[in-house]
Every structure is written in C-alpha cells, then in structure tokens.
Amino acid sequence: MSKLPIGIQLYSVRDAMKADFAGTLKELKKYGYDAVEFAGLFDYSAAEVKAMCEEAGLIPISAHVGLGVIMADVAKVVGDYAEIGCKYIAIPWASADKQLAGSEGYEQFLSEIKIVAAECAKYGMKLLYHNHDFEFNKIDGKNILDILYADTDESVLQTQIDTCWANVGGENPANYVLKYTGRAPLVHLKDFVGSKSANMYELIDGGEVEAKEEVVPFELRPVGYGVQDVLSIIKASEKAGAEMVIVEQDLPALNRTPLECAKLSIEYIRTIY
C-alpha cells in the first residue's frame, strides 16, 4: 500500500497566509506537505488561488467553510472551491445548542446539509463534517456525532474526524476512525497535552465549554509532541480507506511560531511513516 499524502489545514498558519499567501504555500511545500485545506481565501479569486497552488506544487484538497457562509450563496461558494480544484468542503463547526441533535434547529441543519451536498455533487465534490469534543456528549446513550451520521446518508455527508477532539471526547482516536471505514476520506491529525479546560475554544466563535478542574493545562501541540499515538491513527486511516491525513494546530506551542510548529509536525510524521 502506498503512503497517504500529508496535508495541512491552513488555519494553522493563518497569519502567515494573510501576510503572504503564495509565499506561505511554497514554504509549506518545502517542509514536505503534499496538500492544503483552506480556511478562507483572503480576498483572492478562485483562479488566483488555483494558480498559486499549482505554482507551489500543492494539492488543494479541501476547505473548511462555515455553514452560514455557504448558505449565504451556495452556488458561488461551492463553485469557487470547485474551480480551485477542491474535492471536499468540510463544515468546521456546528452549535450544539442550535444545530445538532437535541436542539430545535437540528432538522433545519439536516436540511441545509442536503442542499449543500447536492450542490457539491454537481462538481463531483463531497461534503464533510469536522467534529470537536462536545459532539461526543450522549443523548439516550448515543454520541451526538454518531446520531448525525446515522441521520444522514454517507452519499450526503461524510466524516472528517478530528482525532484530538475524539480523544478529548473520550474515544480511542484510531478505533473511532475505523468505525467510519469507507466514510472517512480525510482525517485530521492533531496532538495535545492536558485535559479539558475553559479556554479550549477561545478561537472558535460562539464556542463554550464547562470549566473543569485541570491537572495539566490543555495545550495543542505539533504532531508527535503530545499524547496521541500518531502512527496508530495513520494506520487506522489507511485501513478506513482515507485519501489523506491533514495536520492541524489551532494555536502554536513550545515557544515556536505557527510555521515552525507546522515544520515540526511534518518532520515528526516523516520519521515514523
């Protein structure tokens, strides 16, 4: 079996992207990344972004786009990412109180997913959902995330399992990826130390989490510098039929810049895989 390509979620290096979009892409390619997942286009056109990816030699595999942003102009948003060459659009966040199972807005959320998925299908693209840890809260003994996938056909919605948040949510990350074999085309590699805390979602608009006593403060880390069994996650991704694994680190750590953290992550992965 050939090795899975390694991508990076560009939110990890958002400040560098804002300052020098093309230059940052080239730097990431030098580090050894194969692909990128977008977190905004910084006012560049789809044609410009496509050209910059081609010049850097990076695959524009996917994009994180908020559902509200997509629904404001479904045809244009999906069409732009299709023009860039993306195969996937991932919903990066949903409100537990307003959109997910158990909320009054759940049926509308499911309806909007179907609308976006249908538009994606026109271009041969797939819609994914990217989880955090609160989707592992249970309703009648079932994870909210599992309920979402049970209530949507895999032809409509596939998974983008964030393995850090799966771990924080109480799941074995590798086993959870395997649970969605055939439905997990992109898997997020994210590492961390510590336990759930009150400031975990400080960068995510509207995110809240109940404060709990901390033994070790929660901190996101470069891949390989935390508690995750990275190789087991990658091997599980292979078995599950993933097309690619994608590094993500929302905040830098270890007194390194975001780009330095991105470099540490890919260097570590290349030593084990």
Side-chain angles (χ1 to χ4, degrees), residues 1 44 46-47 80 91 132 142-143 160 167 175 204 215 220-221 238 253 257 267:
M1 178 183 292
Y44 289 102
D80 280 350
I91 299 168
H132 292 80
K142 296 181 180 179
N143 290 338
Q160 185 178 61
N167 191 331
N175 290 346
I204 304 173
V215 178
L220 297 168
R221 289 281 182 87
E238 287 182 339
T257 68
E267 287 176 344

Side-chain angles (χ1 to χ4, degrees), residues 15-209:
D15 291 339
M17 291 297 297
K18 183 177 181 180
D20 184 358
F21 198 110
T24 301
L25 292 180
K26 291 175 183 177
E27 193 70 10
L28 292 168
K29 179 64 176 180
K30 288 180 184 176
Y31 294 166
Y33 286 100
D34 302 302
V36 290
E37 180 174 72
F38 297 101
L41 301 180
F42 299 92
D43 295 325
Y44 289 102
S45 69
E48 288 171 329
V49 172
K50 180 179 181 180
M52 286 187 278
C53 288
E54 288 176 350
E55 185 177 357
L58 289 166
I59 301 165
I61 189 68
S62 53
H64 274 197
V65 192
L67 188 58
V69 173
I70 302 173
M71 292 304 297
D73 194 340
V74 177
K76 184 178 189 317
V77 172
V78 175
D80 280 350
Y81 284 107
E83 181 180 348
I84 290 168
C86 292
K87 295 178 65 175
Y88 305 95
I89 290 179
I91 299 168
W93 169 270
S95 168
D97 297 330
K98 298 178 181 179
Q99 292 174 297
L100 296 177
S103 73
E104 292 183 0
Y106 184 50
E107 291 304 319
Q108 180 180 342
F109 181 62
L110 294 179
S111 176
E112 291 177 350
I113 282 173
K114 290 178 182 178
I115 291 169
V116 177
E119 191 67 26
C120 287
K122 294 178 182 179
Y123 300 96
M125 300 167 69
K126 295 288 187 180
L127 184 65
L128 315 177
Y129 181 77
H130 167 267
N131 63 275
H132 292 80
D133 78 299
F134 56 81
E135 292 95 338
F136 294 97
N137 292 338
K138 297 184 184 300
I139 297 175
D140 297 328
K142 296 181 180 179
N143 290 338
I144 290 173
L145 189 59
D146 291 332
I147 293 171
L148 173 62
Y149 292 130
D151 288 345
T152 52
D153 190 85
E154 64 183 68
S155 65
V156 172
L157 186 68
Q158 298 196 349
T159 73
Q160 185 178 61
I161 297 167
D162 185 303
T163 55
C164 161
W165 298 128
N167 191 331
V168 173
E171 296 283 347
N172 176 292
N175 290 346
Y176 200 76
V177 169
L178 289 172
K179 181 176 182 177
Y180 285 97
T181 294
R183 199 174 178 175
L186 304 179
V187 176
H188 265 202
L189 293 180
K190 184 185 289 184
D191 215 338
F192 71 100
V193 295
S195 56
K196 188 181 295 190
S197 67
N199 66 347
M200 279 168 45
Y201 303 128
E202 61 182 357
L203 292 182
I204 304 173
D205 186 27
E208 295 179 356
V209 64

Side-chain angles (χ1 to χ4, degrees), residues 11 169 194 226:
Y11 186 72

